Amino acid sequence: MPGPDMARRAVGNCCAVWALLIAAALGGCGDGAPVAGQPAGARGDGSPVSAVMSSPATDGYARATRPGSLEFPRDHGPHPDFRSEWWYFTGNLAAPDGRPFGFQLTLFRFALSPDAPVRASPLATRQAWMGHFAVTDVAAGRFHAFERFARGAAGLAGARALPLAVWLEDWRVDAAPGVGAEPFPLHLAAADGAVALELELSPGHPRVLQGDAGLSRKSAEPGNASYYYSYTRLPARGRVTTPDGRFQVTGSAWMDREWSTSALAADQTGWDWFALQLDDGRDVMFYRLRDERGGMHPFSAGVVADAGGARQRLAAGDVRLEALEHWTSPRGGRYPVAWRLETGTLDLTLRARIPDQEHRGSIRYWEGAVAVTGRDADRPVAGVGYLEMTAY
């Protein structure tokens, strides 16, 4: 049986092959520009989230169909019978002098086949893993983004429920031993070259089950849905390292967990995801599924949650979105980097901390930190958040 170092070399030698396999599994289409480290012809321009969720390959996989079926701590861990899932962490941090940073650490699992491999090799697996790690250094005006792939074998990548652990080589999410239904405190660690992140996330606002008791329907077709829950506000402290130095930081993080086999319908072309933490204690999540004309699909949805756990579900008709400013990527694509979001008495303006927060790995999308200002009726409100935009 090969040791970890041998297994890592084997995966490294096959990295381009894995990128191609995952790109093929995601079914993305691109803008024609080659991606560094990716074979010619393997192209992508949506996020791994939207690409996998629109895949028609569902035979043999489990489907998300039943609300109210989530169970903890079991569902913090992996769901290998579903085609895809992710552990998604984003947040806004600041050094003691106020220097702001954003961060993203996402670990994706993709099933390449609904059946277990029959080969005897210790590297045999039906699970592929992809990681995305990014730090936005607002003061320096720099967005540092990294991507990794690994097999779900030989200890290279994987997940377990109790205590929660998710890893792709040395990019890790770990809960303390002995925790129960709530996996806190959580330790996040990732590094690539001169950029590194090490954070401890503490319990914050209560868990939010998105959609109908955790079942988030994305279209009218049965099974076009995901299981989806969030921890919308987690106090964070730790260290961020960039080429400019090492910084002690504090702030607030957001954790999203989602797994599915098929979710997006044929007439849904991408999405915009807003995750906002307001200074009055409320958290707002809304995803706009875009139809073929670029408008809001009727299965767009979200939630407003307060610090006590009360939540108000948002339907497509409850939210008005207006793009205010755009940034054009040098790779092509024009992203809205300032938005107006209105719902109920809230009238919010979101602006990217820096315009260029575009991931340019094997799959291209925009995900970054935003600042929030606005009003709730006659009261001013402010906050921070994260924005994801796919397929622009």
Side-chain angles (χ1 to χ4, degrees), residues 179-196:
V179 298
E182 303 297 337
F184 302 108
L186 272 178
H187 184 76
L188 275 57
D192 199 303
V195 179

Side-chain angles (χ1 to χ4, degrees), residues 4 6 60 63 69 108-109 152 209 228 239 261 265 271 349 392:
M6 185 184 299
R63 305 292 295 276
S69 62
F108 302 92
R109 179 198 60 78
L209 301 184
Y228 183 8
R239 290 173 295 278
T261 288
W271 67 20
T349 298
Y392 276 91

Side-chain angles (χ1 to χ4, degrees), residues 161-183:
L162 190 64
L164 175 64
V166 192
W167 68 95
L168 197 166
E169 297 181 340
D170 61 347
W171 293 4
R172 296 192 62 94
V173 177
D174 290 285
V179 298
E182 303 297 337

Side-chain angles (χ1 to χ4, degrees), residues 157-240:
R160 67 166 184 259
L162 190 64
L164 175 64
V166 192
W167 68 95
L168 197 166
E169 297 181 340
D170 61 347
W171 293 4
R172 296 192 62 94
V173 177
D174 290 285
V179 298
E182 303 297 337
F184 302 108
L186 272 178
H187 184 76
L188 275 57
D192 199 303
V195 179
L197 175 77
E198 188 171 355
L199 290 179
E200 184 172 284
L201 307 185
S202 302
H205 289 185
R207 183 195 315 126
V208 174
L209 301 184
Q210 303 287 2
D212 182 5
L215 180 69
S216 177
R217 294 182 174 89
K218 305 300 196 296
S219 78
E221 181 180 337
N224 266 15
S226 65
Y227 290 118
Y228 183 8
Y229 69 90
S230 308
Y231 290 97
T232 61
R233 193 174 305 214
L234 300 171
R237 64 175 55 250
R239 290 173 295 278
V240 168

Side-chain angles (χ1 to χ4, degrees), residues 7 21 36 41 50 58-59 90 103 109 111 115 128 133 136 182 195 202 218 238 248 251 298 321 351-352 355 382:
L21 282 173
S50 61
T58 61
D59 289 349
T90 56
F103 83 90
R109 179 198 60 78
D115 302 314
F133 166 47
T136 302
E182 303 297 337
V195 179
S202 302
K218 305 300 196 296
Q248 298 292 321
L321 288 169
R351 295 187 184 279

Side-chain angles (χ1 to χ4, degrees), residues 38-358:
Q38 186 176 1
R43 303 175 296 178
D45 67 352
S47 81
V49 173
S50 61
V52 167
M53 293 180 72
S54 63
S55 171
T58 61
D59 289 349
Y61 294 105
R63 305 292 295 276
T65 58
R66 189 162 55 91
S69 62
L70 300 191
E71 179 183 324
F72 300 98
R74 179 197 68 188
D75 284 323
H76 297 315
H79 302 83
D81 293 336
F82 287 80
R83 192 166 181 268
S84 65
E85 67 183 315
W86 44 87
W87 292 257
Y88 225 107
F89 295 86
T90 56
N92 284 266
L93 309 167
D97 64 358
R99 180 171 178 150
F101 298 90
F103 83 90
Q104 175 194 351
L105 178 60
T106 312
L107 298 175
F108 302 92
R109 179 198 60 78
F110 302 119
L112 301 176
S113 164
D115 302 314
V118 296
R119 293 182 293 123
S121 167
L123 291 176
T125 179
R126 66 185 180 102
Q127 307 296 341
W129 287 77
M130 177 169 68
H132 285 180
F133 166 47
V135 170
T136 302
D137 186 343
V138 178
R142 297 193 191 102
F143 179 65
H144 306 278
F146 309 94
E147 180 179 71
R148 288 186 182 180
F149 299 95
R151 299 171 180 267
L156 293 171
R160 67 166 184 259
L162 190 64
L164 175 64
V166 192
W167 68 95
L168 197 166
E169 297 181 340
D170 61 347
W171 293 4
R172 296 192 62 94
V173 177
D174 290 285
V179 298
E182 303 297 337
F184 302 108
L186 272 178
H187 184 76
L188 275 57
D192 199 303
V195 179
L197 175 77
E198 188 171 355
L199 290 179
E200 184 172 284
L201 307 185
S202 302
H205 289 185
R207 183 195 315 126
V208 174
L209 301 184
Q210 303 287 2
D212 182 5
L215 180 69
S216 177
R217 294 182 174 89
K218 305 300 196 296
S219 78
E221 181 180 337
N224 266 15
S226 65
Y227 290 118
Y228 183 8
Y229 69 90
S230 308
Y231 290 97
T232 61
R233 193 174 305 214
L234 300 171
R237 64 175 55 250
R239 290 173 295 278
V240 168
T241 304
T242 75
D244 288 349
R246 192 182 192 194
F247 304 87
Q248 298 292 321
V249 292
T250 58
S252 184
W254 182 296
M255 174 186 174
D256 259 13
R257 277 286 286 125
E258 197 164 2
W259 59 97
S260 70
T261 288
S262 174
L264 299 187
D267 63 345
Q268 296 166 337
T269 60
W271 67 20
D272 308 302
W273 173 80
F274 305 83
L276 312 177
Q277 299 168 327
L278 303 183
D279 56 8
D280 65 5
R282 285 178 294 176
D283 302 322
V284 180
M285 187 283 292
F286 188 75
Y287 57 81
R288 180 182 76 151
L289 298 171
R290 297 198 308 277
D291 61 25
E292 293 170 310
R293 300 183 302 277
M296 188 180 297
H297 192 276
F299 274 80
S300 302
V303 68
V304 178
D306 67 20
R311 67 180 198 131
Q312 172 195 351
R313 289 179 63 180
L314 300 175
D318 297 326
V319 176
R320 179 177 176 270
L321 288 169
E322 178 186 2
L324 302 176
E325 298 173 11
H326 293 78
W327 169 78
T328 300
S329 167
R331 290 280 307 281
R334 187 168 175 261
Y335 296 95
V337 292
W339 292 82
R340 184 178 183 184
L341 185 155
E342 297 175 89
T343 183
T345 58
L346 283 173
D347 186 349
L348 305 176
T349 298
L350 295 61
R351 295 187 184 279
R353 291 290 186 102
I354 62 173
D356 183 358
Q357 297 181 79
E358 182 189 48

